[in-house]
Amino acid sequence: MSETSHQCVIIGIAGASASGKSLIASTVYKELKAKVGDHQIGVITEDCYYNDQSHLTMEDRVKTNYDHPNALDHNLLCDHLEQLMKGEAVEVPQYSYSEHTRLQESTTMTPKKVIILEGILLLTDPRLRNIMHASVFMDTPLDICLLRRLQRDVAERGRTMESVLVQYQKTVRPMFMQFIEPSKQYADIIVPRGGKNRIAIDVLKAHIAKLLRS
Ligand SMILES: Nc1ncnc2c1ncn2[C@@H]1O[C@H](COP(=O)(O)OP(=O)(O)O)[C@@H](O)[C@H]1O
Ligand SMILES: Nc1ccn([C@@H]2O[C@H](COP(=O)(O)O)[C@@H](O)[C@H]2O)c(=O)n1
């Protein structure tokens, strides 16, 4: 746990792709928002900070390793979190998984008391670990993650089944082994089974509710 937070507390949720990070973050957010309002709590997704690749051909964009830390602009993410902690609003980029580029539009994030930050490589970066007040690792078995990613990427991210399987073997699984799994050691809480783990949701809600009262 870091002592650097001022007006805003950051809770990080990391883990494999399709391990349930977005689902648990959005469930905690929606259930707390209903009680405290959305001026107190927000969610930021690390995926919004993928490097813009509009200067590359589609062929080169498809070949990119999106599971390596170099694919992400953590400098911008750290700058934004520091601004939020100082009480300043930021423009969070929007990302297109089908085009592999940043969109022209961004989303304004006003300062919040608590920000839930979710993403695969968050705990690999010491700067982000230091900013976090608490961290969670979604420890869902990889075969379940692959099944869920396959369904989600075909339904929602404009992918074919074959492209998901090729990418999984080439980069997703190897990068998980090299970077993401070893970062589990830095988590305060390890959540098994995925984004519907009710006890984990309630523990996170109780922790955040306590922070909001303080
Ligand atoms: N425990 C669970 N049971 C059933 N489906 C789940 C569970 N956890 C996550 N999912 C589903 O799996 C898919 C991937 O989850 P998501 O939260 O998007 O993962 P991540 O953000 O880690 O990539 C989504 O369609 C989500 O609804
Ligand atoms: N252009 C992109 C950018 C990212 N990905 C994949 O997204 C995964 C991370 O997002 P999750 O919501 O699944 O955590 C990551 O594993 C990248 O492979 C992509 O396919 N294309």
Side-chain angles (χ1 to χ4, degrees):
M1 302 231 175
S2 146
E3 298 301 324
T4 56
S5 53
H6 301 288
Q7 300 189 18
C8 170
V9 163
I10 315 284
I11 310 283
I13 304 180
S17 171
S19 58
K21 303 177 300 293
S22 312
L23 184 61
I24 200 165
S26 65
T27 306
V28 169
Y29 170 73
K30 279 183 206 146
E31 293 183 12
L32 279 173
K33 190 180 74 166
K35 288 190 185 151
V36 301
D38 63 1
H39 58 290
Q40 298 238 58
I41 179 165
V43 178
I44 294 183
T45 300
E46 184 191 36
D47 290 8
C48 297
Y49 292 83
Y50 270 111
N51 293 321
D52 183 31
Q53 304 214 97
S54 45
H55 58 291
L56 297 181
T57 62
M58 185 51 102
E59 198 189 346
D60 284 339
R61 292 181 207 170
V62 170
K63 277 196 236 153
T64 300
N65 178 351
Y66 292 100
D67 291 80
H68 190 280
N70 289 348
L72 285 146
D73 190 351
H74 274 186
N75 289 335
L76 183 63
L77 175 57
C78 288
D79 285 350
H80 280 180
L81 295 174
E82 275 160 18
Q83 280 175 256
L84 285 162
M85 290 192 317
K86 282 192 264 173
E88 296 166 11
V90 298
E91 289 300 314
V92 176
Q94 288 186 31
Y95 189 74
S96 162
Y97 296 99
S98 49
E99 297 298 317
H100 313 277
T101 55
R102 254 179 223 172
L103 302 180
Q104 293 290 330
E105 309 82 51
S106 56
T107 310
T108 304
M109 171 70 75
T110 53
K112 312 281 178 198
K113 211 161 170 191
V114 173
I115 300 247
I116 304 172
L117 178 64
E118 63 91 5
I120 52 173
L121 289 159
L122 296 176
L123 291 178
T124 66
D125 189 329
R127 293 169 303 169
L128 290 170
R129 294 201 301 268
N130 190 45
I131 280 174
M132 288 173 200
H133 168 85
S135 56
V136 176
F137 190 94
M138 302 301 290
D139 203 12
T140 311
L142 273 196
D143 56 343
I144 303 291
C145 293
L146 173 58
L147 287 176
R148 290 181 182 156
R149 178 170 169 135
L150 198 50
Q151 282 180 322
R152 182 198 61 194
D153 284 10
V154 170
E156 296 170 21
R157 294 191 180 177
R159 306 294 163 90
T160 61
M161 197 168 120
E162 199 204 349
S163 78
V164 176
L165 295 179
V166 167
Q167 187 189 9
Y168 184 80
Q169 292 175 78
K170 250 172 114 176
T171 55
V172 179
R173 192 176 188 284
M175 297 300 103
F176 174 82
M177 295 303 180
Q178 189 176 341
F179 294 107
I180 303 171
E181 210 280 335
S183 76
K184 183 163 80 174
Q185 65 183 299
Y186 300 113
D188 297 308
I189 300 171
I190 294 177
V191 175
R193 294 190 299 282
K196 293 187 183 169
N197 185 323
R198 184 31 69 179
I199 303 283
I201 293 166
D202 288 345
V203 166
L204 280 172
K205 276 173 61 189
H207 184 70
I208 295 173
K210 201 172 104 190
L211 290 170
L212 291 173
R213 284 195 299 271
S214 63

